[in-house]
Amino acid sequence: MKATYKKYVLDFKRPSGTSRGTLNKKETWFIILQDGQNLGIGECGILRGLSIDDRDDYEEYLKWGVDHIHLGLDKLLERLVGFPSIQFGLEQAFLSLRSKNPFILFPSDFTHKEMPIEINGLIWMGSEDFMLQQIEDKLLQGFKCLKMKIGAIDFDAELKLLNAIRKRFSKDEIELRVDANGAFSAESALEKLKILATYDLHSIEQPIKAKNWTKMKELCQRSPLPIALDEELIGVSDLTKKRDVLETIRPQYIILKPSLVGGFKSSKEWINLAEALGIGWWVTSALESNIGLNAIAQWTFTLNNQMPQGLGTGSLYTNNFESPLAVAEGNLFYRNELSWQQDLIEDLCI
């Protein structure tokens, strides 16, 4: 079996704002396996400034994984615990290699009968006018669940946007989620959560920075607005430590980004622990290309979670891979009449 890897830089259609800054480009890496006529491809979706494996020696470890592909997936996952995005890329590549179609990793009614996955519409940070325009666009596109990133512009301006939505749509018509990406201070968080709760929001992701378990536990106990842990899960790979996080903080929800938490196997561990504790969950992509998004979406469908998932990021880039993935009426579909962009795929494999 031949194993290689290749870097690919995704270009945003327009700068995309988060509480950690504005994104113009996103680098990603692909692991390609070839065994005779069989092809396997997996995406290592690293997010600079957020991924635990955002390290200077990242490519060195990626090369090590490819050079030691003969060890098999289980041993590679054990050796690369500190590199969750590489773990995820390897999982995809091995699943892809073993499949009749390298892009059908989890055959299901999603891939074969075009059964949809309901997703949220993502509202990026920016000026008030820009965010309002995004909201209008998503509503026209038929989304019933919106996720709005907050924490970058003035808090009062963000409340004004939420108020504008709620004046038009009740919580029964539009589900609103907000994501603070840890932007609130520990001192001000509870008061802000109380204010946000008046807008009938579904939940807030990561109101304060990760690794402050004591304060996060207090917020989860006292907040009238349900809290979802996101960044809090990053870098926690040991099963016992995962249990400690959830038993200590007791959030209302957790959010799984396979690229950031070590892939499908690790994500399923989080899900099993959460369900045992009565904690809700959903799955979110992490700005992968359509190759990584495809794998996450197919896996997510098999989990039978009826909540809207965070899987609609494939249209952000000018140079993404054309694929059967399509968004319509707030749902993600795998359209069998559409094809993967073979020229770009072939370029990766050269």
Side-chain angles (χ1 to χ4, degrees), residues 92-123:
Q92 293 170 65
F94 273 92
L95 283 165
S96 175
L97 183 70
R98 295 165 185 163
S99 300
K100 292 181 181 179
N101 180 330
F103 297 107
I104 304 293
L105 280 61
F106 298 92
S108 69
D109 286 348
F110 175 68
T111 55
H112 288 63
K113 296 184 179 180
E114 299 193 4
M115 291 287 290
I117 300 172
E118 186 178 1
I119 60 174
N120 61 240
L122 182 60
I123 310 301

Side-chain angles (χ1 to χ4, degrees), residues 64-266:
W64 183 92
V66 166
D67 289 345
H68 292 79
I69 205 73
H70 61 276
L71 294 176
L73 180 60
D74 290 342
K75 288 186 177 180
L76 288 170
L77 294 181
E78 290 176 9
R79 300 282 187 91
L80 292 164
V81 165
F83 294 84
S85 66
I86 300 177
Q87 289 179 308
F88 183 43
L90 286 166
E91 276 186 325
Q92 293 170 65
F94 273 92
L95 283 165
S96 175
L97 183 70
R98 295 165 185 163
S99 300
K100 292 181 181 179
N101 180 330
F103 297 107
I104 304 293
L105 280 61
F106 298 92
S108 69
D109 286 348
F110 175 68
T111 55
H112 288 63
K113 296 184 179 180
E114 299 193 4
M115 291 287 290
I117 300 172
E118 186 178 1
I119 60 174
N120 61 240
L122 182 60
I123 310 301
W124 288 92
M125 289 178 174
S127 67
E128 184 178 341
D129 287 343
F130 171 58
M131 294 181 75
L132 189 59
Q133 184 58 57
Q134 290 181 84
I135 292 167
E136 294 283 353
D137 292 343
K138 295 299 182 186
L139 294 175
L140 287 173
Q141 292 165 19
F143 283 91
K144 300 299 183 185
C145 176
L146 299 181
K147 172 183 167 181
M148 188 172 120
K149 289 187 172 288
I150 61 174
I153 63 175
D154 179 72
F155 186 61
D156 288 336
E158 291 167 341
L159 295 179
K160 183 179 176 182
L161 290 170
L162 293 171
N163 187 56
I165 299 172
R166 277 293 172 248
K167 278 187 173 180
R168 290 176 56 189
F169 301 97
S170 71
K171 65 179 181 180
D172 296 323
E173 294 172 299
I174 294 292
E175 180 178 290
L176 280 175
R177 301 170 177 175
V178 293
D179 182 3
N181 286 129
F184 297 163
S185 69
E187 295 74 28
S188 67
L190 183 58
E191 289 308 309
K192 287 186 175 181
L193 294 179
K194 289 178 179 178
I195 295 170
L196 288 167
T198 64
Y199 294 95
D200 292 324
L201 305 184
H202 173 271
S203 57
I204 181 169
E205 296 179 32
Q206 204 70 40
I208 63 173
K209 292 187 185 301
K211 312 307 179 188
N212 189 347
W213 291 13
T214 301
K215 184 62 180 179
M216 189 68 84
K217 175 183 178 180
E218 178 189 342
L219 288 175
C220 289
Q221 289 175 336
R222 299 180 62 190
S223 172
L225 177 60
I227 291 174
L229 300 187
D230 182 359
E231 287 92 337
E232 202 73 59
L233 311 186
I234 297 173
V236 183
S237 56
D238 179 74
L239 184 62
T240 301
K241 188 70 174 292
K242 290 178 180 178
R243 183 180 290 108
D244 288 346
V245 170
L246 298 186
E247 288 184 342
T248 299
I249 298 176
R250 297 279 176 160
Q252 285 73 33
Y253 298 99
I254 60 170
I255 299 169
L256 290 312
K257 289 185 172 73
S259 288
L260 300 185
V261 300
F264 300 129
K265 180 181 178 182
S266 179

Side-chain angles (χ1 to χ4, degrees), residues 285-340:
S285 53
L287 304 184
E288 295 88 359
S289 77
N290 278 336
I291 291 175
L293 176 61
N294 174 62
I296 297 171
Q298 290 183 26
W299 174 72
T300 301
F301 185 87
T302 69
L303 302 176
N304 296 312
N305 185 323
Q306 300 306 306
M307 297 176 65
Q309 307 295 304
L311 303 175
T313 56
S315 61
L316 291 174
Y317 307 113
T318 61
N319 60 338
N320 206 341
F321 304 90
E322 292 178 14
S323 79
L325 297 173
V327 176
E329 294 298 314
N331 292 283
L332 181 66
F333 293 86
Y334 193 93
R335 299 296 194 191
N336 287 293
E337 69 271 18
L338 301 178
S339 301
W340 285 90

